[in-house]
Structures are given as structure tokens and as C-alpha cells.
Amino acid sequence: MARLFGTDGVRGLANQDITAELALDLSVAAAHVLAEVGEFNGHRPVAVVGRDPRASGEFLTAATVAGLASAGVDVRDAGVLPTPAIAFLVAEQQADLGAMLSASHNPMPDNGIKFFARGGHKLADDLEDRIESRLRDVWARPTGSAVGRITRLVDGAERYVSHLVAGLPNRIDGLHVVIDAANGAASVVAPRAFEQAGARVTLIGADPDGNNINENCGSTHIGGLQRAVVAAGADFGIALDGDADRCLAVDADGILVDGDQIMAILALALKETGRLKGDTLVATVMSNLGMVQALEGAGITVLQTAVGDRYVLAGMNEGGFTLGGEQSGHVVMLEHGTTGDGTLTGLMLAARVAATGRTLADLAAVMTHFPQVLINVAGVDKSRLETNVVVADAVLLAEHELGRNGRVLLRKSGTEPVVRVMVEAADEVQAKALANRLVGVVQAELAL
């Protein structure tokens, strides 16, 4: 049976895969497991619960809150807020756990649930496995005054915005920024934070109706932001996703500034002020070689992990590093939060532009993108990828041809029955040719 928890909580089609019954059962199981491992320290536990604006989040939040309260947990319902806001509030409220109902950048029909432990930290794999194993257990239900109470956390948004603005190294007065909030969870708090920090804001994708989250807007549909920035004559723009844990940007000419460029800008800014712990950035193996080479040339080590924010976080925690992220725009700054925060990322970009007086395009030019060719190979046995000698030899040959000016990455998808072939080279023609050659080898050697 497949593991219920993925790399970022439990996700699926709302009311089919992610049902009210499942949300309730997961919440009860989470309360029991966290109590058993000492997260509650023997006292009456408190949880913070939030959601993005999806219509299904209304009934899934009700089920989650009901499950927690039935297990004796007092619940503070924060309503519609970004995922990083809930993580922050768990820590700020000294709560014992948190729950966020969201499917992030997924289409509206999907939804999901993720849990946070004390301090706003994501749960470790072993705790998620224990929660899954305890679903629908028979348990002793509290009664009378022992049941949990439910209250509204009415000032959660204000607390979160104040936290964001207080963390900035400088104000951003005079900047004109376009924000695409993806009709999502940051539609109110993101513009409020930018305005409090001094920016003039043009807002798009900020009219959530429960059905339009991520629909032709946000970080997965960047075109609207590109057009809006140019039309408004703005300094730059940012695009968030549905739960606002990601941020991509576009410069004044509407040119995309991706997660690798954002991380390079922020890493250099932190190193300049002596706040980049270990002079190290933690990124994934999918980050562009151009970023790696640019940062290494500036004396910054790039530690690369497997794809997934939980692996980035693990690398950061293990080495005590403060900055990490993914090409997708999921950037983690551990001095300010425990998870990726798109609004904070955008604010930090703005602060760097304001402090240097340079344009975003100029800052982003610190790195040159190497052409990347990524091909998904279906109809193969991905379990044999790492043991096939012919495939390994083909990879070595391609790497020899590329030398220091490129790289090869073959990996099994964690979510699909495919092998992903990625080739990066200074020359796009060479990258395509090598990628197609490797695809042929994979198909021939690993065919089902």
C-alpha cells in the first residue's frame, strides 16, 4: 500500500481522496501521536488551524477542527492565511501543533492537510508514519470539560504581517511592485505587508471566490504578471502560489526571475552582511549549474539535496545553515521562519533592490542560465535505474563530453512511474542531443 503522506503532507482530490472523514481521523491520530512523543508536555494541548480559500477547505477545516477538539485539543482557528503564516503562529502562540488545509499550487479541485509540531516545524517522516498507522484506532474519548474548545484567532493576519515587516533589513519606500496573489491565501496579507514596508502596490489575482485559486494566475501562470508589470511601469513583480509558500519574480521588462536567481541574489546579500551561515546555500540537484558556478565564484558553497523542500530543510538543519530553496521559488530563510514563505521572499528581494539602488534585472544577472533539457521517460522500470550498468556507462560518457560546462541527472520520479532525464550544458543543441541519446538508452535497458 502506498504511503499516505507525500513530500508535503497528504494531498489529493477533495471529497474523494481527501474526505472529511480522513481529515477528522488524521487530526485525531496526529493529536494522539504527538501526545505520545511528549510534544504536549503533559498539559492541555493547543492547536492553530488555517486554510487557503478553496471551497473544499471549508468542510475540511470543520472536520479537522472537530477531530482535534474531540481528542481534547483546544483549537485556535486562524481562517484563511498562508501556510508560512500558520507555521509562524504555531510558534508565536506557543501552540503544540498546527494544521494547514491546502494543496498549494495544485488546481482548485485538489486539497490537502499538513501538520506542524511545536515551533512550527514540519513533522518528520517517522511521525507521519506513526500517524498513518493510527488511523481509525479505537481510543478513549474525553468527555465533559476534557473536550477541546474552539475559538477564532482573529488577529492572526496582523501578527503575521508585523512579523514579516519587522524582519526586513531596510524599508522599501518608493518601489512600485505588482503582486499576483494567485487568488490564494495571501490575497490580503501580501499587499498589506508590502505597503507597510513602504512600497506602492498594484494587485492582481487577489479576488478569491473559493473556485479560482491558481486559475491562470500566480507562480504557475506567470504571463499575467509579466504583462501587468510592463503595463504598470512597475519596478518588478512577484507571483505567489495558492498557499503562498513560493515566490517567482519578473523584472521591469517582464522577464522571469526564477527561484535559482532569487536564491543567488539573497545568498550574496546575506554573505555581504556576514549573515550567511557557513557561507553556504542549500539547494536541490535541479538547481541550475549557472547558479552553482556563480555562487562558488563568490565564495559560497552550494550544498545540493534531493528534490523536495523537506530534503532542503533537512540539509539546512543538519549543517546549521540559514538559506535554502528550490528552483520553483520555494525559499526558506531559517532566521525568519521554519518553512518556505513567498511573501517574505518577495519582501527580501524588494529590500535588496532598495538597499543597492540596482534594478532586479541587474541583480539577477549575477548568474547565467545554462540550458536545461528535461525529458520524462514513461513505460520503463524505474526501480532498475540505479543498478543498470549500461545506463551508468552512458551517463559517464555524457558527463565526459560535457566536462565542467554541463551535467547529467537521471532520477526516479517520486510521484509518477517515470524516469526523469535532465541534461544541462552551455550549448542547448548539445544538451538536447545528449538528453535524447540517454532517453534511448533508458528505454532500451529499462523497458517493461
Side-chain angles (χ1 to χ4, degrees), residues 39-315:
E39 286 288 329
F40 299 163
N41 296 320
H43 64 259
R44 187 179 177 97
V46 173
V48 175
V49 177
R51 66 180 181 91
D52 71 24
R54 296 166 207 265
S56 60
E58 297 167 3
F59 76 79
L60 288 173
T61 298
T64 301
V65 169
L68 291 170
S70 73
V73 178
D74 289 336
V75 179
R76 296 172 185 168
D77 184 354
V80 175
L81 281 177
T83 291
I86 299 306
F88 161 73
L89 288 168
V90 170
E92 195 260 358
Q93 294 283 301
Q94 298 184 351
D96 302 284
L97 75 156
M100 178 69 186
L101 284 300
S102 175
S104 191
H105 58 281
N106 285 26
M108 174 269 174
D110 286 352
N111 215 323
I113 182 170
K114 68 183 77 174
F115 295 104
F116 296 99
R118 284 187 67 84
H121 299 282
K122 290 185 177 181
L123 300 188
D125 287 354
D126 64 312
L127 288 180
E128 290 181 340
D129 289 339
R130 288 182 64 172
I131 291 170
E132 186 172 341
S133 72
R134 296 288 297 276
L135 289 178
R136 289 171 289 280
D137 265 4
V138 176
W139 54 288
R141 298 172 182 270
T143 59
S145 62
V147 301
R149 304 297 299 273
I150 303 167
T151 57
R152 283 281 295 159
L153 184 57
V154 295
D155 61 349
E158 288 74 15
R159 291 171 179 271
Y160 173 59
V161 169
S162 295
H163 157 72
L164 292 176
V165 176
L168 290 178
N170 53 269
R171 289 187 58 80
I172 57 176
D173 299 283
L175 289 182
H176 181 189
V177 182
V178 179
I179 299 174
D180 183 346
N183 290 318
S187 293
V188 172
V189 294
R192 189 179 298 174
F194 271 81
E195 288 168 351
Q196 286 190 19
R200 177 161 67 97
V201 173
T202 296
L203 192 58
I204 64 174
D207 189 23
D209 62 9
N211 296 315
N212 60 0
I213 189 170
N214 298 321
E215 184 179 359
N216 298 317
C217 58
S219 62
T220 52
H221 299 87
I222 204 76
L225 177 64
Q226 292 172 312
R227 292 187 292 272
V229 168
V230 173
D235 293 295
F236 68 95
I238 65 166
L240 307 174
D241 65 340
D243 71 335
D245 65 353
R246 296 186 183 194
C247 172
L248 295 178
V250 301
D251 66 21
D253 294 321
I255 306 300
L256 174 67
V257 177
D258 70 11
D260 285 338
Q261 292 167 294
I262 290 170
M263 288 189 290
I265 293 168
L266 297 182
L268 289 168
L270 288 172
K271 186 176 190 299
E272 185 179 289
T273 57
R275 290 168 49 224
L276 184 66
K277 290 290 181 67
D279 285 340
T280 297
L281 168 72
V282 182
T284 77
V285 292
M286 290 303 295
S287 276
N288 196 275
L289 182 60
M291 181 197 76
V292 176
Q293 291 187 353
L295 290 184
E296 288 180 346
I300 296 173
T301 299
V302 180
L303 174 65
Q304 292 183 282
T305 72
V307 176
D309 69 287
R310 66 168 53 238
Y311 303 113
V312 172
L313 270 169

Side-chain angles (χ1 to χ4, degrees), residues 286-362:
M286 290 303 295
S287 276
N288 196 275
L289 182 60
M291 181 197 76
V292 176
Q293 291 187 353
L295 290 184
E296 288 180 346
I300 296 173
T301 299
V302 180
L303 174 65
Q304 292 183 282
T305 72
V307 176
D309 69 287
R310 66 168 53 238
Y311 303 113
V312 172
L313 270 169
M316 294 175 71
N317 289 327
E318 184 176 340
F321 305 124
T322 51
L323 180 66
E326 298 183 273
Q327 195 178 57
S328 62
H330 193 281
V331 178
V332 182
M333 289 168 273
L334 286 182
E335 281 189 325
H336 305 281
T338 59
T339 188
D341 190 328
T343 306
L344 176 64
T345 300
L347 285 166
M348 288 296 184
L349 272 182
R352 185 61 172 169
V353 170
T356 60
R358 297 165 63 186
T359 66
L360 181 59
D362 186 33

Side-chain angles (χ1 to χ4, degrees), residues 412-423:
K412 299 177 289 187
S413 168
T415 58
E416 302 173 75
V418 301
V419 168
R420 304 196 196 282
V421 175
M422 192 276 284
V423 176

Side-chain angles (χ1 to χ4, degrees), residues 367-382:
M367 62 165 281
T368 300
H369 274 102
F370 277 50
Q372 282 185 337
V373 176
L374 176 64
I375 303 175
N376 293 325
V377 188
V380 295
D381 181 2
K382 66 179 184 180

